[in-house]
Each structure stands twice: as structure tokens, then as C-alpha cells.
Amino acid sequence: MTATQDDVVRLTSFARCAGCAAKLGLGDLAEALGGVPVHSDPRLLVGREGFDDAGVFVLRDDLALVQTVDFFAPIVDDPYEFGQIAAANALSDVFAMGGEPLTALAIVGFPSGKLPLSILTDILRGGSDKVREAGAVLVGGHSIIDEELKFGLSVTGQAHPQKLLTNSAANVGDVLVLTKPLGTGLLATAGKQNRLDSQARNALHASMRALNATASRAALAHGAHCATDVTGFALLGHSSHVARGSNVTVRLDGRALPELPGARALWSSGVRTGGAERNERFLAPLVDWTRARPEDIALALDPQTSGGLLVALSPDRVADYLSAVEGSVQVGVVEPRGNTLIVLE
Ligand code: CO
Ligand code: CO
């Protein structure tokens, strides 16, 4: 088929669910994986047990592979931008482990015959440019015909086995810093309902396109050993992985949570996402949010696409980190394990 300049293709209409980066719920995923035997290998330094961001496989005393894969349906209508966002999101899991991306493979589901191939070219161009920006190389990929448009990457990076950012290394007394504002799920959903002004839309897209490279490198440079990226399971879900992995309680300050323009207000005016509902169902028993404001709880349950890093830093390094990483905000502290994994107030 051919496309002219006049054709208006709404890429997001090729995503079946609203704001669709929809992941399988955390509870469902844990249940499904429970039936899959674990084959341990001494070289597998970080496997699936801690719900960490990527697998880490040791090659030498000073060298490990960091591997991850992520893909989803369009969350924006511009194909080049969708490619950039999907790539930034997939690369993020390598940065969230303290790795440097080396190579990437593209994963494509394409509604062949329903969309012009030029759309796929633009998506791949966006992905390839973002991979290059991250210092890595797009080396190939695999595509299938699919009703739902999907794009993402499998990324391989490298790290030093002693200089990782895992979920299990938070220390009591550490300060938690978040490097991007929350609210991508709420804003993307509002966008689908044409309830977003251009300023909010631009802020949403810029945030999702941004790499977590600087946040990750600065974390290592400031002595951090624990970080995760905030994605589909929301700030609370990913914080719960840190709390469980490190055997601590994470205390979050709801009022301090940074938001994309209007995110709390959109929730207050009735915008809802299926992802937040799934997150709430799974997380309710793990979080004490009795003293938190409803709009802060909503922000902390909002599923993120290409969200920022949550970094645990020693208190004496926080000020330096905040000035090194633009947009980063102190959001909480790490405490001894209490009654719940998380306290949000
Ligand atoms: Co992650
Ligand atoms: Co991921």
C-alpha cells in the first residue's frame, strides 16, 4: 500500500489497549514463573529471583554481560518518536543495573498491509538513533506480522561484576532519589482522550525519550550500589522490589514526588488506567498508605513508560548527585524492615 503526505495515521490506534505499555500484572507474572524450574549457574550473578532490571552473567572477574528485553505497542502517534521511546525504555534496564549498552536487536510486530512500510522505517530510524545516542550499536532484529503494532529491543550491555546497581543493595539510612517525574500513564491516557494540552504532551514525550545514561553513570560515580528504573509496576511496585531484595522498608514522601505537568490534577478529574488498578490490587497488602493523600497514592501507582531511575544513595553523596543529574528529586529514605515493605505518607 502507499501513503501520501495527507494520510493521517494514528499509530496509537494500532495499540489495543489505552496507553498501552500494558504489562502482565506483577501477581500474575510471579504466579506463572513459580511453575518454571530455576536452573542455577554460578556465572549467573543476577537472575530472575529478585525481579531485577536485567540479567547479569559473569564472563571474567572484571567483566559481566547485562541482558534485557522490552517491547510494547505505540504510546505516541509519531513513528520516529515511538521508536525513540521504545528504545530508551529498553536501554533503561541496562542503565538501571549500572551497565553500559553494547548491542541491541530490534523486535517488531507489524500490521503488514494495514500500515505503509515507511512507518516501520521511521520507527526503526528512531530506535537506531536512540541506540547510537546510548553508545551502542543496532546489530539486527526479528519481525513478525501482527495485528497489533509492537516495537522494542533486546539489549546486551557490559558491567563490572562489583560495580552493579541491583535491587538488593540498599542500606538502612540511604536516601532515595528519583530522576524523572511520574505520570506517564495518566498523561498518555489523557492524550488518547484528547485531554492534553501541547505543553503537557511535549513534556511527556521529552521525558519518555530521555535516556537514563547520565543518572546511571552518576549513581556509580557517587558510590551507589542500588538502583532500579520505574516502569510498568509504578514507583510503588519497583520500590517493593528494592525493599524485598534489600530486606528493608522504603519510606516515601508523597508530597515530594515529582509529576509531569498536571498528572495529579488529571487523576483528580477522573483519568484512570488499567495498569494502576492492577498495581493497586497487588501492592495494597505491601504498602502502608493510610496517611497519604489520594492523589499522591495515584501518582505512586501510575505505570511508567521509560521512567526514571530510583537510586539509593549514602546521605553524604545526595547533594552532589542532585546537582549532577538534572531533574532528580529526593523522594524517600531506607529504613529497617517494619510491618510493610513500603510506607507512603
Ligand atoms: Co527495569
Ligand atoms: Co524491563
Side-chain angles (χ1 to χ4, degrees), residues 152-210:
L153 300 174
S154 165
V155 185
T156 299
Q158 65 175 350
H160 191 294
Q162 264 82 56
K163 292 172 191 156
L164 294 170
L165 300 171
T166 66
N167 288 349
S168 55
N171 295 313
V172 170
D174 280 353
V175 171
L176 293 164
V177 171
L178 181 63
T179 66
K180 286 188 190 179
L182 300 168
T184 72
L186 286 161
L187 268 72
T189 302
K192 284 206 106 181
Q193 302 162 356
N194 296 315
R195 292 173 66 175
L196 217 53
D197 62 39
S198 61
Q199 184 239 342
R201 186 183 309 272
N202 291 341
L204 167 66
H205 292 188
S207 179
M208 293 192 297
R209 282 195 311 260

Side-chain angles (χ1 to χ4, degrees), residues 53 93 229 231:
D53 298 291
D93 275 324
D229 60 344
T231 54

Side-chain angles (χ1 to χ4, degrees), residues 23 51-54 68 70 89-90 92-94 96-97 167 227-233 238 241 308-309:
K23 289 203 207 191
F51 283 101
D52 228 308
D53 298 291
T68 184
D70 212 324
N89 179 73
S92 174
D93 275 324
V94 172
M97 296 304 294
N167 288 349
T228 189
D229 60 344
V230 179
T231 54
F233 301 136
H238 295 282
H241 294 159
L309 295 190

Side-chain angles (χ1 to χ4, degrees), residues 96-108:
M97 296 304 294
E100 284 292 334
L102 295 172
T103 59
L105 296 163
I107 297 156
V108 175

